[in-house]
Amino acid sequence: MFCSALRGVAHVRVYLVRKASSVSRSHPSPDSGLAAGGAPGSLVELLGKSYPQDEYTNLSSKVLARVGRNLHNQQHHPLWLIKERVKQHFYTQYVGRFGTPLFSVYDDLSPVVTTWQNFDSLLIPAEHPSRKKGDNYYLNRTHMLRAHTSAHQWDLLHAGLDAFLVVGDVYRRDQVDSQHYPVFHQLEAVRLFSKHELFAGIKDGESLQLFEQSSRSAHKQETHTMEAVKLVEFDLKQTLTRLVIHLFGDGLDIRWVDCYFPFTHPSFEMEINFRGEWLEVLGCGVMEQQLVNSAGAQDRIGWAFGLGLERLAMILYDIPDIRLFWSEDERFLKQFRLSDVNQKVTFQPLSKYPAVINDISFWLPSENYTENDFYDLVRTIGGDLVEKVDLIDKFEHPKTHKTSHCYRITYRHMERTLSQSEVRHVHQAVQEAAVRLLAVEGRF
């Protein structure tokens, strides 16, 4: 779930009309692994399937190489630890009529989804900014790497499920810093209630109804009764409060902030006061009845929530940089080989090697430029050598009205010291690729 404008791969081969040249790790070519719009007739092969490229194709080799890694399913990885803790909590706390877990868990669903699954099934309007190429990774106009695990909600509801968790890798083009990475991992939960389930134990509950025809307000949807909404909201918040206390411990201060999601209403963000700082940890809400109805569960009402595994792991384990989750350094991985997933652990930092900083300035093209295009280009060429990219200056020429951007790129290896010479090769490749692929005019 999101609150803004709103599986190296075993067998991934990208067929292009012109194949990018092979590049050594230390001396990348300007356009190695970069993909602009796909040429007609060329294919992307991913997870055993082929997808024709078109003008929407914007996948890079760096991102494709992350597909199928499934860090959340790698035993003793910190993201696996978080997933297992949440899963165990739901298995033990919520038991069905026959003594089996109420919630089923799906953690191996393909990250390739249709745009209908990712957007339309969730009632995201056709012109919503969250659909932009600049914010997503498209295989083509109809298929993409999921931007959120919510992309599977409709299918699972349509299959007749009414309580489930979905865990998986999600993909978004975003800024470059220690908190953001083009691939991260989410955990999604959904629970539906029948009239009998929701009002059981409520005095005179047999006379209460789930639905009515009224008007939408800040507190409810037009089809929900206030009694039903308040009970669903109460169950949702109680469920989440128990979960975060299980993860973080007793004595936790929690607050709820009203929020907007296209697929829930009312919607909330949960914030916790952790070590004196208020931190947003998840988003949630009462599911839009139109979504529930379209999936064939017209007689039920429900809630949904979604959280980021990296976000929780960074808070719980004091992991300072999101790139570390992709590290294969034994000094990192061995710290999370625990005999009990609930065992407390604090990450002991690897030696922090010095940063090498370089700036890049250029005039923007007259159209079709987004900052995320540049961030993705830097990620693709510099890989995990890039710690962050900051836009430090904007300038509009008073006569030509052309706009210039200046970005500061911080390079830092997490396992050794970088030399200015090797960074210079990478930085030059970034400059050349920006001119070639983004049509900028260099000021370097």
Side-chain angles (χ1 to χ4, degrees), residues 168-180:
D169 43 339
V170 300
Y171 300 77
R172 295 193 203 153
R173 304 177 85 205
D174 211 334
Q175 64 200 82
V176 182
D177 58 34
S178 62
Q179 304 292 316
H180 295 85

Side-chain angles (χ1 to χ4, degrees), residues 407-424:
Y407 296 88
R408 179 155 292 163
I409 305 178
T410 302
Y411 300 88
R412 192 196 309 267
H413 203 292
M414 293 182 289
E415 298 168 14
R416 63 179 176 83
T417 299
L418 288 171
S419 70
Q420 183 63 253
S421 175
E422 63 182 319
V423 170
R424 186 166 59 249

Side-chain angles (χ1 to χ4, degrees), residues 1-3 72 78-87 89-90 147-150 153 164-170 172 184-190 236 239-248 256 261 263 268-272 279-285 303-316:
M1 300 179 75
F2 60 102
C3 194
H72 62 288
L79 300 183
W80 175 86
L81 291 175
I82 299 292
K83 182 197 76 171
E84 289 299 305
R85 292 187 67 186
V86 174
K87 188 171 74 173
H89 175 75
F90 274 86
H148 43 203
T149 48
S150 305
Q153 270 189 21
F164 55 84
L165 305 178
V166 180
V167 194
D169 43 339
V170 300
R172 295 193 203 153
F184 57 105
H185 299 75
Q186 287 186 336
L187 185 148
E188 180 102 5
V190 166
L236 169 62
T239 298
L240 291 173
T241 298
R242 286 192 292 264
L243 174 61
V244 296
I245 289 174
H246 168 69
L247 293 173
F248 290 91
W256 303 92
F261 304 114
F263 33 88
F268 314 95
E269 286 180 339
M270 171 194 264
E271 295 183 352
I272 62 170
L279 304 171
E280 183 263 310
V281 291
L282 56 84
C284 62
W303 54 247
F305 76 79
L307 55 81
L309 295 184
E310 280 87 349
R311 174 73 167 159
L312 287 182
M314 292 176 82
I315 298 171
L316 280 167

Side-chain angles (χ1 to χ4, degrees), residues 81 91 123 138 151 162 205 223 298 330 392 402 411 420 435:
L81 291 175
Y91 276 2
L123 312 179
Y138 284 91
D162 56 14
T223 57
Q298 298 92 330
E330 183 64 16
I392 61 173
K402 294 172 65 175
Y411 300 88
Q420 183 63 253
V435 171

Side-chain angles (χ1 to χ4, degrees), residues 373-388:
D373 289 334
F374 180 67
Y375 296 148
D376 202 44
L377 181 148
V378 176
R379 281 269 197 214
T380 300
I381 295 175
D384 288 349
L385 295 183
V386 179
E387 180 174 88
K388 64 179 178 176

Side-chain angles (χ1 to χ4, degrees), residues 122-260:
L122 295 165
L123 312 179
I124 298 171
E127 301 304 319
H128 197 280
S130 66
R131 293 178 179 251
K132 292 188 302 184
K133 280 181 62 177
D135 292 341
N136 299 284
Y137 289 102
Y138 284 91
L139 283 77
N140 52 40
R141 181 179 290 274
T142 60
H143 289 80
M144 64 187 295
L145 296 176
R146 63 189 168 210
H148 43 203
T149 48
S150 305
H152 303 288
Q153 270 189 21
W154 191 93
D155 295 294
L156 294 172
L157 291 171
H158 191 62
L161 299 173
D162 56 14
F164 55 84
L165 305 178
V166 180
V167 194
D169 43 339
V170 300
Y171 300 77
R172 295 193 203 153
R173 304 177 85 205
D174 211 334
Q175 64 200 82
V176 182
D177 58 34
S178 62
Q179 304 292 316
H180 295 85
Y181 202 80
V183 191
F184 57 105
H185 299 75
Q186 287 186 336
L187 185 148
E188 180 102 5
V190 166
R191 184 173 185 185
L192 299 184
F193 300 87
S194 65
K195 175 183 174 181
H196 171 75
E197 290 168 330
L198 189 62
F199 296 131
I202 303 296
K203 184 179 179 180
D204 299 324
E206 63 276 3
S207 66
L208 300 176
Q209 302 297 322
L210 296 179
F211 308 112
E212 67 179 12
Q213 286 301 321
S214 59
S215 58
R216 178 173 290 240
S217 71
H219 305 291
K220 63 182 285 295
Q221 297 170 39
E222 58 273 21
T223 57
H224 293 160
T225 65
M226 186 61 76
E227 295 87 354
V229 170
K230 289 304 180 183
L231 285 171
V232 172
E233 183 182 325
F234 178 79
D235 186 86
L236 169 62
K237 291 181 176 180
Q238 285 291 99
T239 298
L240 291 173
T241 298
R242 286 192 292 264
L243 174 61
V244 296
I245 289 174
H246 168 69
L247 293 173
F248 290 91
D250 294 322
L252 197 65
D253 288 331
I254 297 169
R255 69 184 182 191
W256 303 92
V257 180
D258 292 341
C259 189
Y260 167 76

